[in-house]
Amino acid sequence: GRAITYSWQSSDPGSFSNPTSSETTYQPLTQGIHRIQVSVSNQRETIVKQMDLYISTTTPSYIYPQINQTGLPVNTSISMTFNGPMDDSTLNDASNIVIQGASGQNYTTVTPNFCKETNTLTVRSQPDFLPGDWITVKLKNIRTSSGFNVEVADWVFQIERLNLNIYTDPINDEDTY
């Protein structure tokens, strides 16, 4: 049998973990469209395959509330800042933002507000969050200004619990809350 050899190349800066193996990992240095090429040879013939991959490094660089943050007020606003220009129509579309409580409560959002100058999305939930509820935030169908999808991991935070103190006045037979 003839030995089979592999050769991986990219049109853009980046590196392959093992450029002469049948399996490799590509580490891009820039975002954008990268043309990846693999050549497979058995010493008699060479087959070359090319594919275009879009590499996006656009992600939220800041989120509030932070992941697993606790003790937040029931009227907490949610915000995130992205590290690159975004398609504001995808972020201003309330159907792309899902806010759900562990209590089973689905929170609908007031009109989201995306600021292009700062790449910041702010969302206020209606109704207010339930005390003690763990809130999950999910974004879907979000795109960069170039039209490429951005995956945003879901995250959770907890609203402060209500402490209800009851004082009994045995003389007047009244309870005070």
Side-chain angles (χ1 to χ4, degrees):
R2 293 188 167 96
I4 297 176
T5 60
Y6 298 87
S7 173
W8 292 87
Q9 297 176 335
S10 170
S11 62
D12 291 280
S15 61
F16 294 93
S17 61
N18 194 345
T20 58
S21 172
S22 62
E23 294 182 20
T24 189
T25 302
Y26 179 60
Q27 181 64 49
L29 297 178
T30 60
Q31 73 176 2
I33 295 177
H34 291 241
R35 176 155 288 160
I36 306 296
Q37 176 178 302
V38 60
S39 301
V40 181
S41 178
N42 66 3
Q43 296 174 339
R44 228 172 87 207
E45 64 180 319
T46 300
I47 298 171
V48 177
K49 295 287 183 182
Q50 289 185 2
M51 64 195 95
D52 289 336
L53 301 175
Y54 178 76
I55 308 296
S56 175
T57 56
T58 302
T59 60
S61 56
Y62 172 81
I63 61 170
Y64 178 84
Q66 296 175 357
I67 296 169
N68 295 324
Q69 188 171 351
T70 60
L72 296 157
V74 295
N75 63 350
T76 294
S77 290
I78 299 165
S79 66
M80 64 181 58
T81 301
F82 291 87
N83 64 358
M86 301 298 292
D87 176 349
D88 60 322
S89 69
T90 63
L91 289 163
N92 282 322
D93 183 347
S95 68
N96 290 339
I97 303 165
V98 178
I99 303 173
Q100 187 169 17
S103 64
Q105 173 73 40
N106 286 320
Y107 299 95
T108 57
T109 58
V110 173
T111 304
N113 181 4
F114 180 72
C115 177
K116 279 184 153 184
E117 290 75 30
T118 61
N119 288 318
T120 300
L121 170 68
T122 304
V123 177
R124 174 75 176 87
S125 176
Q126 287 294 332
D128 280 349
F129 298 119
L130 296 175
D133 208 356
W134 279 96
I135 308 301
T136 300
V137 179
K138 300 176 184 189
L139 298 182
K140 58 184 182 175
N141 303 319
I142 304 301
R143 293 188 301 269
T144 66
S145 60
S146 302
F148 295 101
N149 289 333
V150 174
E151 296 295 324
V152 178
D154 301 351
W155 82 96
V156 298
F157 56 90
Q158 187 183 32
I159 302 304
E160 68 184 338
R161 298 177 187 278
L162 282 184
N163 293 323
L164 184 60
N165 296 316
I166 302 173
Y167 302 96
T168 302
D169 181 350
I171 297 171
N172 296 318
D173 194 28
E174 292 178 354
D175 293 336
T176 306
Y177 302 92

